[in-house]
Amino acid sequence: MVDTMALLHPFSRAARTPQAAARPAAGLPADDEVLLDVPDDRLGSALVAAAGGEHGPASALLADTRTRGDWETRDRYTRRLAAFAHARPEWLGAWSAATPHDPDVLLIKAQLAVDDAWRSPARAELLREVSPLITAAARGDDHDPVPWRLALDHARGTGAGPKYFGELWEAALRRAPHHYGCHVAALRYLAASWQGSHRECFDFADLAAQDAPADSLIQALPSRAAFAWLTDGVGAEVPRARLDAAADRAIAFSARFPAADPWPAEIRNKLMYVLVRLDRWEEALTELHRIGPYATSFPWGRLSDDPLALFLKVRGEILTRTTGLMPSPRHPRSGRAGRARSADH
């Protein structure tokens, strides 16, 4: 197990009293009320049905996202249902046997295959073998950008060159020019291709955010670039002003949603991490209240084998810093932590 607080340098290593660590905060849930990766009501119902062996509710749920062109929700549901299928492959097998050409089952199969390949030491070889599944998913619904997000992840994992990646990127943009998942996949590819040159990643993220609507998840893309720089441990220095600007844009986006809303929870969890690393403790506390009980595996799972425990540790640190129980650190400071896990795509 890694030293989680070392990964979050520059946290103070001064010991906290039990009273400080356990003190409840007004308006915040207790530690045992904080939940990890809570699905929304619709996905939750589909997962309950899936646990009983039924695939109909999941199929209807994904079909509805296609009908409405709600690609962000479709992307999110696809990842969660593929994770369920990893644990219960017989469920997906029954669904595939019943409707083998269903665009939704084809998408889940492709997502699961990419996820499984990425977990393997033989990642590049296995990813090449799943190309037909991604192609089948893309042909299942020509308007759907989510298979193209998979194709972009696949290209990064197999070391595809920039020309091929550019063709995939253009195809993704034609289907949904502001799809967050595809932009994150592109950001990761660019970071890997430029081998730690984060300035170009910030340029890409900033331009995308400027071009996107105010309510688009892409408004949080620059803070994703900031997270990558803070955790990679490589590359040239990024000006503090640029990191702050990325955080400011994400704060403005987060403020558009009600507190304790599960939809922006992942964006808020990532933003809270970035704000803590930038020593912006009061704003991190604001995000903590907006997060409410909704912790998410990203970003904490990139830094610890127990993401919920790390979230709670960081939450405790924020509460301590903002209630005067520990001296404030020197400002400004944005030292980086250890490298995030390369196996996590």
Side-chain angles (χ1 to χ4, degrees):
M1 183 69 179
V2 296
D3 180 349
T4 54
M5 299 315 286
L7 289 171
L8 285 167
H9 176 79
F11 279 114
S12 167
R13 296 185 182 276
R16 294 197 297 271
T17 65
Q19 291 82 2
R23 177 176 293 182
L28 287 176
D31 282 4
D32 60 3
E33 295 174 332
V34 177
L35 304 172
L36 186 69
D37 297 331
V38 175
D40 63 27
D41 291 342
R42 298 180 69 209
L43 178 59
S45 296
L47 289 170
V48 169
E54 300 178 43
H55 61 264
S59 177
L61 188 66
L62 287 180
D64 179 62
T65 62
R66 277 193 294 116
T67 300
R68 294 185 293 110
D70 187 356
W71 306 123
E72 303 294 3
T73 301
R74 180 174 179 79
D75 202 343
R76 184 172 299 188
Y77 288 171
T78 295
R79 295 174 186 269
R80 293 297 299 272
L81 290 168
F84 177 85
H86 177 73
R88 293 282 297 273
E90 70 281 0
W91 170 77
L92 184 59
W95 183 2
S96 181
T99 54
H101 304 296
D102 180 351
D104 304 313
V105 77
L106 291 173
L107 181 59
I108 298 296
K109 288 172 68 176
Q111 178 71 64
L112 176 60
V114 170
D115 289 346
D116 285 347
W118 211 278
R119 295 184 186 102
S120 170
R123 178 189 311 161
E125 180 181 350
L126 292 177
L127 281 172
R128 292 186 184 97
E129 294 176 2
V130 306
S131 292
L133 293 175
I134 299 174
T135 300
R139 290 174 176 170
D141 185 335
D142 188 54
H143 298 93
D144 185 0
V146 182
W148 296 93
R149 189 264 299 160
L150 280 170
L152 295 171
D153 283 337
H154 178 272
R156 176 168 56 92
T158 55
K163 183 176 184 298
Y164 176 66
F165 186 89
E167 292 171 355
L168 296 177
W169 176 239
E170 290 298 326
L173 289 181
R174 285 197 298 271
R175 286 156 178 83
H178 303 300
H179 182 245
Y180 180 68
C182 288
H183 279 75
V184 170
L187 189 68
R188 289 173 171 174
Y189 176 87
L190 296 176
S193 298
W194 286 323
Q195 299 178 345
S197 180
H198 288 275
R199 184 182 63 184
E200 290 87 346
C201 293
F202 272 92
D203 289 345
F204 170 79
D206 287 342
L207 182 60
Q210 291 165 16
D211 290 344
D215 60 352
S216 168
L217 287 172
I218 293 178
Q219 295 302 325
L221 195 66
S223 65
R224 183 80 181 224
F227 170 82
W229 184 79
L230 289 166
T231 56
D232 275 358
V234 297
E237 196 78 7
V238 173
R240 171 65 190 241
R242 195 156 202 185
L243 296 168
D244 282 327
D248 290 342
R249 185 182 286 274
I251 289 171
F253 178 75
S254 174
R256 297 177 64 91
F257 297 88
D261 183 345
W263 170 254
E266 184 176 284
I267 297 296
R268 286 169 168 167
N269 275 250
K270 174 197 65 185
L271 173 58
M272 189 179 85
Y273 173 89
V274 170
L275 290 170
V276 164
R277 292 296 310 282
L278 296 177
D279 294 344
R280 293 172 61 169
W281 296 96
E282 293 291 341
E283 290 155 305
L285 179 63
T286 298
E287 288 307 314
L288 191 55
H289 280 274
R290 288 173 177 166
I291 289 167
Y294 297 119
T296 57
S297 290
F298 181 83
W300 316 111
R302 293 284 187 93
L303 306 165
S304 171
D305 295 327
D306 190 342
L308 180 56
L310 179 56
F311 171 86
L312 293 174
K313 280 190 175 184
V314 176
R315 187 173 88 145
E317 188 77 10
I318 292 169
L319 295 176
T320 300
R321 296 275 188 172
T322 53
T323 53
L325 295 175
M326 291 177 60
S328 297
R330 293 184 296 274
H331 296 275
R333 186 166 62 187
S334 59
R336 284 177 283 178
R339 187 186 300 271
R341 297 175 185 169
S342 60
D344 187 348
H345 72 291

